[in-house]
Amino acid sequence: MLRVKQLSKFFNGFAAVKEVSFQANGGEIFGLLGPNGAGKTTTIRVIATVLTPTSGTAEVASFDILKAPEKVRQNLGLLTSEIGLYDRFTARENLRYFGNLYGLAGQALEDRIDYLVEILDMQKFADRRAGKFSTGMKQKVAIARSIIHDPKVIIFDEPTAGLDVLASQTVIDYMQTARKEGKLVVLSTHDMAHAQKLCDRVAIMHQGKIIAVDSQAKIYQQTQADNLEDAFLKILGADAAKSALKAKEAFELRWLSKKHKRFGL
Amino acid sequence: MNKVFTVFKKEILDSLRDRRTLLTAVVMPIVLMPAIMIGSVKFQEAQITKAAEKPVLLAVENQQSAPTLLDFLNKQKQVELKQVENFDQGIEAGTINVYLNVETDFEANLKTQKPTEVRVVQKSSNVDSSTAYSKVINLLQAFNQEQARIRLSQKGLATETLSALKPVSVDIATAQERGGFFIGLLLPMFIVVFAIAGGMYIAIDVSAGEKERKTLEALLLSPASRLQLVAGKFAAVAATASASIILSMFSLYFAFKFFPPKFGTEVVEINLTLGAIGIMLLVGVIMAIMFSGLLLSVAIFAKSYKEAQNYITPFYLLAILPVAIFAQLPGLKPSLGMFFIPGVNAVFVMKEVLIKTFDSAHIFITFGSLIIYAVIAVIAASKIYSKEGILFRD
């Protein structure tokens, strides 16, 4: 359902994402893990057609992001890490506007909004203006907004950030329901405990590259760890050591060549 | 098309709930514009009547030596004769405006028909004194003529023998033109101001505002194309700015209908026929559409409200400045080239329409160039919206 092929994204010569490839299918929760600045959000934005790739491509529900960006957007629900609502609109009005933009209207849209209000437990504030909402309330509306069109692929970027335990549980329940319905849920997070509990498979990103993609069990086996956090740290540590070694070698090479030049060799 | 309308509807509703947009786009043009226009007209009227009615406070030094002159001055309505101890201090204190210093042999010289010096003392740095001074000079001239008439009639001659010519002042400006000249300065200026100010807040709100509230990405994630989003937003800004102009013009129309401006005794007529209003509205609306495209293009570069306002301020000055300069030049005959300058062309066409001296070529060039600029502005805005660097300038 989601196929990322050799995807790269450069910003003014800086490689934020380098030749990333992975695949994830319907009926699974796929974790996209990595430290801050690893390139997760950029990868997600390219997949969501908000940014254009420098090279490579991706397919969402068999639609290519370059050839059919509007079809991709119609089949993809993305919750970004930066949530914002229209302050002068109520929660329902916010949802209705986006529903309309996704081509939904009339009773079908109202039913969908009612359904989302119920499963995300928003009855108390659904008809209040969003300006004075707490972070948790905003987050719930943003989640509802991202799945208003009932997409096949759902990408959640830090969905539980700023939520209390109860609200987090609501979101987690929703992700599990979506998996049962055969959707693909991509979860991008720092929260290893949640990732460990939810994800069927995980991809670990570091410095713009994917350094591991596998099921949790296989990753534990490779790293000889018994939880995701340890495994994550070990993989990251190994990668950092590798790149440090590379950098050292490169530095020594430069140094040597300079020395050679100096002595006229 | 449906999505364009969805965006349009949302932005209009959103801005109707925004007090700032409501204030600048609706309340200000309805209340402020007529208030300023009518207010300044009434103020000017009041100043003119006040200055005309205010009598000259005059004192005469050695007044016992000039009874004829004193008698003449006493008959003048514009003069109030005063008695003071110290004449110079009287002017300083404001108890008198001007005083006359008459020689002791004045009355004797008058009898023997010899001219006598009369010093008219004023303080030119004092506005009241210098205004009174010119009135007094006129009065003394009248006194001279009066005496000349008496002397000539004693010799059996008519007063006319002294006059070689008789200047008659004729003003070929119709009442409409004089009104249009005054209204031609202020009204078009305000219309340009409202064409920008009316759309300013909503333009910032729909572009930089989306970035500041972090709703832009969610919007870009929807299947609506960038062009549809820009078109909807542009339509909302243009509609608001146009509404602002239309409201201000109608409010002004009614204001002038119920409080017609007067200058002196004449009622100044302003060409406010339906045709004139139609042309002005059309020019105003096209101008609003053009400025909306420009505002939207400028505001999208900004990350926040504040930054957008920083960008728009110089833009605003750039648009207003030529209008302010050209509209203030009273005798300026606009050349054909000036009708290509956006804003300035609108001012001149409106002025021409108001005083019924319009040229169809001017109107045609104005409409044509404004429409071309509007199209360029809209295309520029949609091009800018498809640049990811500008949308994600973190």
Side-chain angles (χ1 to χ4, degrees):
Chain A
M1 226 179 267
L2 172 64
R3 217 185 268 267
V4 180
K5 303 172 201 164
Q6 299 285 309
L7 197 73
S8 295
K9 176 69 186 176
F10 287 74
F11 292 114
N12 296 325
F14 168 75
V17 176
K18 280 180 256 177
E19 302 198 335
V20 162
S21 298
F22 65 88
Q23 198 178 326
N25 306 307
E28 75 170 336
I29 298 180
F30 183 86
L32 189 58
L33 313 176
N36 288 330
K40 291 174 302 193
T41 301
T42 305
T43 308
I44 291 169
R45 279 181 171 166
V46 174
I47 293 170
T49 77
V50 178
L51 296 178
T52 49
T54 309
S55 65
T57 187
E59 273 175 18
V60 174
S62 350
F63 293 110
D64 190 282
I65 57 167
L66 296 173
K67 287 176 199 143
E70 273 150 44
K71 292 272 186 203
V72 167
R73 294 205 286 266
Q74 191 70 54
N75 284 288
L76 177 81
L78 168 59
L79 174 73
T80 55
S81 46
E82 288 182 337
I83 46 151
L85 303 174
Y86 297 115
D87 293 348
R88 293 183 291 269
F89 277 36
T90 67
R92 253 178 224 280
E93 284 170 334
N94 267 286
L95 296 178
R96 199 171 294 134
Y97 176 47
F98 281 92
N100 286 335
L101 288 177
Y102 280 98
L104 301 171
Q107 197 52 46
L109 175 59
E110 296 308 314
D111 290 346
R112 176 73 184 159
I113 293 172
D114 286 341
Y115 168 75
L116 291 170
V117 166
E118 199 193 314
I119 62 160
L120 290 167
D121 195 20
M122 305 194 291
Q123 294 90 338
K124 276 186 193 141
F125 55 88
D127 292 306
R128 274 166 49 196
R129 288 200 185 170
K132 298 222 168 96
F133 282 5
S134 69
T135 317
M137 290 151 109
K138 280 188 180 165
Q139 182 77 347
K140 283 185 173 180
V141 180
I143 290 170
R145 178 178 67 190
S146 68
I147 54 177
I148 186 85
H149 53 302
D150 201 14
K152 289 182 184 138
V153 177
I154 297 165
I155 304 180
F156 279 177
D157 196 355
E158 297 294 352
T160 52
L163 295 189
D164 61 31
V165 182
L166 277 174
S168 297
Q169 197 52 48
T170 316
V171 177
I172 289 166
D173 288 346
Y174 174 75
M175 286 194 269
Q176 283 166 335
T177 312
R179 169 165 59 186
K180 256 186 238 150
E181 288 170 356
K183 298 179 193 302
L184 162 64
V185 179
V186 176
L187 172 63
S188 162
T189 187
H190 297 116
D191 189 333
M192 292 301 154
H194 277 157
Q196 182 175 346
K197 198 159 72 181
L198 285 166
C199 296
D200 302 297
R201 291 194 305 135
V202 296
I204 294 174
M205 271 192 97
H206 187 220
Q207 293 175 344
K209 283 186 197 156
I210 296 239
I211 50 176
V213 196
D214 229 321
S215 67
Q216 285 204 45
K218 288 215 176 113
I219 283 186
Y220 295 163
Q221 214 174 23
Q222 283 163 16
T223 55
Q224 293 171 336
D226 60 357
N227 64 61
L228 194 55
E229 191 164 339
D230 284 350
F232 177 77
L233 288 173
K234 277 185 184 167
I235 291 173
L236 230 57
D239 188 63
K242 210 161 60 185
S243 49
L245 192 69
K246 253 194 211 158
K248 197 176 161 216
E249 278 168 0
F251 175 77
E252 280 170 353
L253 220 70
R254 267 204 306 271
W255 186 77
L256 273 173
S257 68
K258 252 190 218 160
K259 207 165 149 189
H260 278 233
K261 264 184 212 149
R262 203 183 302 156
F263 292 107
L265 295 169
Chain B
M1 211 49 224
N2 228 335
K3 281 169 188 166
V4 174
F5 186 65
T6 300
V7 175
F8 170 77
K9 216 171 57 184
K10 180 259 161 191
E11 298 299 359
I12 290 288
L13 181 63
D14 204 354
S15 67
L16 281 178
R17 290 180 182 178
D18 183 4
R19 221 172 284 136
R20 280 173 302 188
T21 311
L22 215 58
L23 205 70
T24 50
V26 181
V27 179
M28 246 168 57
I30 291 181
V31 179
L32 201 65
M33 185 146 153
I36 292 177
M37 296 287 281
I38 298 291
S40 64
V41 170
K42 293 283 169 201
F43 180 72
Q44 211 163 342
E45 270 176 43
Q47 285 294 310
I48 291 169
T49 28
K50 205 172 133 197
E53 281 167 4
K54 210 167 151 191
V56 177
L57 304 177
L58 183 72
V60 183
E61 205 173 352
N62 298 328
Q63 51 174 287
Q64 65 286 351
S65 52
T68 317
L69 179 60
L70 217 65
D71 195 42
F72 171 81
L73 289 173
N74 253 328
K75 281 188 218 145
Q76 305 303 317
K77 274 185 212 148
Q78 314 165 44
V79 176
E80 200 176 309
L81 283 173
K82 291 269 177 187
Q83 306 285 343
V84 283
E85 299 270 309
N86 187 313
F87 293 90
D88 286 351
Q89 269 174 24
I91 291 182
E92 294 285 356
T95 46
I96 55 170
N97 302 128
V98 175
Y99 72 89
L100 301 179
N101 182 304
V102 190
E103 299 290 326
T104 38
D105 52 358
F106 181 87
E107 203 62 31
N109 281 344
L110 196 65
K111 293 242 163 62
T112 54
Q113 304 193 346
K114 269 197 278 178
T116 321
E117 264 187 16
V118 172
R119 278 180 293 280
V120 186
V121 185
Q122 61 147 338
K123 187 179 165 80
S124 66
S125 58
N126 178 327
V127 181
D128 282 341
S129 177
S130 62
T131 329
Y133 170 78
S134 39
K135 281 187 195 167
V136 170
I137 292 289
N138 280 336
L139 283 174
L140 294 181
Q141 224 107 57
F143 178 77
N144 257 346
Q145 269 169 15
E146 168 81 12
Q147 291 302 317
R149 192 184 58 78
I150 294 167
R151 291 173 193 180
L152 287 170
S153 66
Q154 281 167 357
K155 293 192 172 142
L157 290 169
T159 328
E160 283 75 39
T161 30
L162 280 185
S163 310
L165 58 80
K166 226 184 197 174
V168 180
S169 138
V170 180
D171 187 357
I172 60 157
T174 59
Q176 226 161 34
E177 279 175 320
R178 268 170 280 153
F181 171 70
F182 173 75
I183 301 304
L185 298 180
L186 268 182
L187 177 68
M189 269 283 289
F190 270 92
I191 285 170
V192 176
V193 169
F194 281 114
I196 300 176
M200 190 164 93
Y201 272 104
I202 181 169
I204 297 176
D205 202 53
V206 302
S207 53
E210 292 258 14
K211 281 195 206 174
E212 188 165 306
R213 284 190 301 257
K214 304 196 190 301
T215 46
L216 183 64
E217 192 167 6
L219 196 61
L220 295 177
L221 282 168
S222 79
S225 71
R226 303 267 162 104
L227 192 66
Q228 285 172 324
L229 296 177
V230 176
K233 284 170 184 293
F234 168 72
V237 177
T240 309
S242 304
S244 175
I245 282 207
I246 292 170
L247 285 175
S248 66
M249 285 183 126
F250 274 105
S251 133
L252 199 71
Y253 174 74
F254 287 112
F256 275 122
K257 221 174 153 156
F258 294 119
F259 305 98
K262 277 185 291 184
F263 292 99
T265 53
E266 256 179 305
V267 173
V268 174
E269 244 182 276
I270 296 158
N271 181 18
L272 283 178
T273 59
L274 276 181
I277 292 175
I279 290 177
M280 294 205 305
L281 276 183
L282 213 57
V283 171
V285 167
I286 296 174
M287 191 166 57
I289 290 171
M290 180 202 68
F291 279 128
S292 302
L294 289 175
L295 283 171
L296 211 53
S297 311
V298 174
I300 192 63
F301 278 97
K303 281 179 290 188
S304 66
Y305 248 96
K306 253 197 176 145
E307 206 184 318
Q309 276 169 332
N310 289 345
Y311 291 154
I312 283 178
T313 308
F315 165 82
Y316 192 67
L317 286 178
L318 213 66
I320 295 288
L321 212 63
V323 174
I325 293 168
F326 288 124
Q328 299 305 321
L329 296 176
L332 183 76
K333 276 262 178 253
S335 66
L336 218 54
M338 281 185 188
F339 287 89
F340 285 99
I341 309 173
V344 174
N345 54 9
V347 170
F348 282 126
V349 164
M350 286 184 195
K351 199 164 159 180
E352 286 181 355
V353 167
L354 279 170
I355 62 177
K356 278 191 179 165
T357 56
F358 53 89
D359 181 334
S360 49
H362 292 171
I363 296 178
F364 180 75
I365 293 174
T366 301
F367 275 130
S369 62
L370 281 180
I371 289 171
I372 290 168
Y373 295 136
V375 170
I376 292 172
V378 176
I379 291 172
S382 66
K383 285 264 183 252
I384 293 167
Y385 265 77
S386 49
K387 282 214 162 65
E388 63 183 37
I390 287 156
L391 296 176
F392 289 100
R393 221 163 49 90
D394 300 314

